[in-house]
Amino acid sequence: MSEKIAVYPGSYDPITNGHVDIIKRGLKIFDKIIVAALENPSKCYLFSLEERLNILKECFKDQPAIEIDFFGGLLVEYLKLKKVGTVVRGLRAISDFEIEFQMALMNRSIEPEFETIFLVPSIKYSFVSSRLVKEVYKLGGEVTAMVPPLVDQKLKEKYAKK
């Protein structure tokens, strides 16, 4: 029987406990999850691609079923390159569904064989997003319960430099 693999794409700027929760849920279905950080030159990131990849690798260093990678361009082209036919995406709210539904249909229109699986995070992470974590932290709020400990440390280092 062949290994069931899925790609979980995202910016991961930074990774949150909501992302980690989706990855753990995905591993109940798939043998391996490729966590693929997006590099979009038109987007302004807090953490560079190298920093994001290092954080991801450190967060999952003891989990061989999780591969860390990156991509730029179309997700469907990355899926073809990796020979993977399934994408995992997390849904927190109706607004997520609308955007994710459109992206899944666009990907399917480009490559009909690819599937998107939507997973819902634990309720305690249903409001957490990378954008909100950065905003709350920048304004002096506490985000320790929303991110892995390494991310909390990296946020402190990043904002100490600013």
Side-chain angles (χ1 to χ4, degrees), residues 31-111:
D31 301 313
K32 180 179 180 181
I33 302 279
I34 301 171
V35 177
L38 173 63
E39 180 57 15
N40 182 344
S42 66
K43 192 169 179 185
C44 183
Y45 297 101
L46 175 63
F47 293 100
S48 69
L49 177 61
E50 183 179 354
E51 289 172 316
R52 290 181 283 139
L53 291 173
N54 287 338
I55 291 168
L56 290 166
K57 287 174 184 174
E58 184 63 26
C59 286
F60 298 109
K61 67 181 178 191
D62 297 325
Q63 299 179 37
I66 299 170
E67 177 184 328
I68 306 304
D69 200 4
F70 70 96
F71 73 102
L74 291 174
L75 177 59
V76 292
E77 294 303 322
Y78 178 75
L79 293 170
K80 288 177 191 176
L81 178 72
K82 297 302 274 188
K83 296 180 173 53
V84 174
T86 307
V87 174
V88 169
R89 295 298 294 158
L91 293 178
R92 295 168 301 201
I94 296 295
S95 57
D96 282 350
F97 177 77
E98 292 176 23
I99 294 164
E100 295 295 341
F101 184 70
Q102 286 179 327
M103 286 194 299
L105 290 176
M106 178 60 77
N107 288 337
R108 189 183 304 155
S109 76
I110 296 169
E111 184 53 63

Side-chain angles (χ1 to χ4, degrees), residues 119-146:
L119 298 176
V120 178
S122 169
I123 196 159
K124 66 184 173 180
Y125 303 124
S126 63
F127 65 93
V128 177
S129 72
S130 296
R131 182 188 59 78
L132 283 175
V133 163
K134 289 183 288 191
E135 190 172 325
V136 167
Y137 192 86
K138 189 175 181 180
L139 295 171
E142 182 61 46
V143 298
T144 305
M146 298 175 220

Side-chain angles (χ1 to χ4, degrees), residues 16-31:
T16 69
N17 287 338
H19 293 123
V20 173
D21 187 60
I22 293 296
I23 292 165
K24 288 179 181 177
R25 289 170 189 281
L27 286 174
K28 292 177 182 178
I29 301 167
F30 298 96
D31 301 313

